[in-house]
Each structure stands twice: as structure tokens, then as C-alpha cells.
Amino acid sequence: MRKRIVAGNWKMNLNFSEAEDLLNDMMDLLEERPADEETEVIVCTPAVYLEMATDLAIDGNFYVGAQNISPHEYGAYTGEISAPMLQSMGVTHTIVGHSERRTYFGETDSVIAEKINQALKYDLTPIYCCGEVLEERQSEKQFEVVKRQISEAMFHLPEAELGKIIIAYEPVWAIGTGLTATPGQAQEMHAFIRKIVAEKYGQETAENIPILYGGSCNAKNAAELFANPDVDGGLIGGASLKAGDFVAIIHS
Ligand code: PEP
């Protein structure tokens, strides 16, 4: 059976004490009512809070992820944070290819492929984000776009490495907008992604790869989205900033 995963992406929000309070509140709620055993919880904090989060994660039942990594391993790349640095702090996951990084920082699938390589080299699980913008959906290009993103960023990998990735389908028109893909739209794309992975790597690898939905997923709509057979959980932005909402999503 595939893992169920709920990952929070705090983006560039919260000061240090707010971040600490949020993690403590989340841990208190999960102590009162633990997540079920098949559900993995990941919190992707801003880089400056990762050390605090990995310290707290020792007592809490959650993993800590970065929101981005450098495509380079070390050297003269001012301001960048590398995979070996993250690994040495106890970070276990990293988001790669988030649409905000593609849009505001010009990340292309070939750069994202390098980031995935770095993550895997240092045992960080990449959470690879893909998804179409509104005009692409309106012109019915969503499948073509997602297929291109997935093949360019991931299909150079051997099967064993590809099997370590978490995919997050995040229609860009749904991120932070309050617009959510319908459960039918999410299921249709997730099944499509599984199909293209199966075509390249075989049915077993495709059946095992977790595919998360992201885009205005919240405590109210999570259960309906997660009930789809190919939706294995969510990548949660705004709603991960409130402990009660995030934990309600985990219990969905
Ligand atoms: C995200 O940033 O990955 C995301 C899904 O954001 P939101 O839940 O706020 O739409």
C-alpha cells in the first residue's frame, strides 16, 4: 500500500517564535490525537528555522523538509543552501520545482533535474511539484504540460532513484487563490501522471509512487480530495500555517 503523506509548505512566513509556537501547537494536537500509522507528516519550513524544526522533530512524529535546494554541491554560490548541508542538519525532504520558484526565480526543468539529482545523492526525498497555469488548462494543454515537466525533470533517473520521489500535482491556478481543483480534476491528472510513470518505468513503480495534490487544499475540502484512489495526500500551503487546520488535514 502506498504511503499517505501530508506536507506543509510554510513558504516565506512567520518569525522565529511564531514558527516555534506553530510546531509546538501541531505536536500537542498530534499527541492528543496521533496521525494514523500510514500517514507521514512533513513540515517544510523556511531554511532559517530548519535547525529548530529538526530539534523538535526528535520528539515529534514528523519529518522536516526544505523548500528549495541548490543544484550545486558546494562552492562559490552566495546565498545558496546545498543538499549536503541540509542532510547534515537532519533534514529529510526538500520541495523542488515549486511553481513560485519557476515563476519568480526562473527555474527550468533542467535546473530542477539537477536539484533532484543533488537531493537524491544526499538521501533527501524530493517533493517534485508540477502543474499547469490557468491558460494552459483553459486551452486543454494541462496533460501535455505536466507530461513535459515530469519527463524533463525526472525521466533521466534510473528506476530505483525515481522510486524515491514524491510527486506533487499543483495546478498553478489553484495555489493560494482559494480555487481548488475538483476531486474529479485532481483524480484525472493523478491517474494520468501514474500512467506516464508506468509507461516509462513499469506498473509496479507507478503504483508505489506517492502523488500529492496541492492548491488551496484545506480542512474542509481535504477529505473529498484525498478520497480519490490516485491522490495520496496533499502539499499544503496557507492551511499549514494554522496548527488546527493542518492537523485536521492530516486526519483527513
Ligand atoms: C503550495 O504552496 O504548495 C500550496 C499548495 O499553497 P496553497 O495551499 O496555499 O494553495
Side-chain angles (χ1 to χ4, degrees):
M1 205 175 104
R2 284 192 296 274
K3 271 187 278 187
R4 314 284 293 170
I5 298 168
V6 176
N9 173 17
W10 289 3
K11 312 195 190 198
M12 197 177 71
N13 290 299
L14 309 176
N15 66 26
F16 187 88
S17 64
E18 290 165 344
E20 207 171 26
D21 287 349
L22 177 52
L23 283 178
N24 280 315
D25 290 348
M26 179 191 90
M27 286 165 63
D28 288 347
L29 290 171
L30 286 175
E31 201 173 293
E32 269 167 40
R33 187 179 161 209
D36 71 46
E37 285 192 356
E38 288 84 51
T39 305
E40 197 168 284
V41 178
I42 307 162
V43 181
C44 300
T45 75
V48 286
Y49 307 146
L50 287 169
E51 189 182 353
M52 178 264 289
T54 53
D55 284 349
L56 287 174
I58 292 169
D59 296 325
N61 251 336
F62 67 98
Y63 296 93
V64 177
Q67 297 175 11
N68 179 37
I69 57 165
S70 173
H72 306 288
E73 200 162 6
Y74 57 85
Y77 299 102
T78 302
E80 287 287 88
I81 297 173
S82 70
M85 291 174 186
L86 294 169
Q87 186 203 37
S88 69
M89 291 168 68
V91 173
T92 50
H93 294 71
T94 181
I95 297 174
V96 281
H98 193 281
S99 65
E100 287 150 16
R101 302 241 21 120
R102 293 175 191 263
T103 306
Y104 305 131
F105 302 95
E107 281 188 16
T108 59
D109 281 307
S110 64
V111 169
I112 295 165
E114 293 301 323
K115 293 184 177 210
I116 288 178
N117 293 345
Q118 280 297 306
L120 291 171
K121 182 168 178 189
Y122 288 94
D123 289 330
L124 299 170
T125 302
I127 304 173
Y128 173 64
C129 301
C130 56
E132 79 285 357
V133 300
L134 186 60
E135 303 82 72
E136 290 162 342
R137 177 154 287 262
Q138 283 167 340
S139 53
E140 296 181 5
K141 293 214 172 85
Q142 67 270 28
F143 297 111
E144 189 187 312
V145 169
V146 169
K147 185 172 184 178
R148 192 189 60 236
Q149 290 172 335
I150 292 210
S151 23
E152 285 181 9
M154 290 172 37
F155 280 3
H156 62 288
L157 295 168
E159 190 177 331
E161 295 293 285
L162 182 111
K164 296 177 184 164
I165 294 184
I166 298 170
I167 297 176
Y169 168 56
E170 299 210 305
V172 180
W173 47 272
I175 297 180
T177 57
L179 290 176
T180 315
T182 63
Q185 286 171 326
Q187 170 56 27
E188 187 182 34
M189 183 58 85
H190 285 225
F192 173 76
I193 292 171
R194 217 176 284 293
K195 179 169 95 49
I196 56 176
V197 173
E199 279 163 8
K200 171 88 180 162
Y201 292 95
Q203 199 60 34
E204 196 185 336
T205 303
E207 283 303 328
N208 288 331
I209 199 157
I211 308 177
L212 314 185
Y213 169 78
S216 299
C217 183
N218 58 39
K220 290 205 179 86
N221 60 26
E224 210 187 352
L225 286 159
F226 297 172
N228 284 299
D230 285 296
V231 178
D232 303 313
L235 179 56
I236 317 297
S240 69
L241 295 170
K242 290 197 185 124
D245 288 359
F246 189 55
V247 171
I249 295 170
I250 292 166
H251 291 312
S252 303

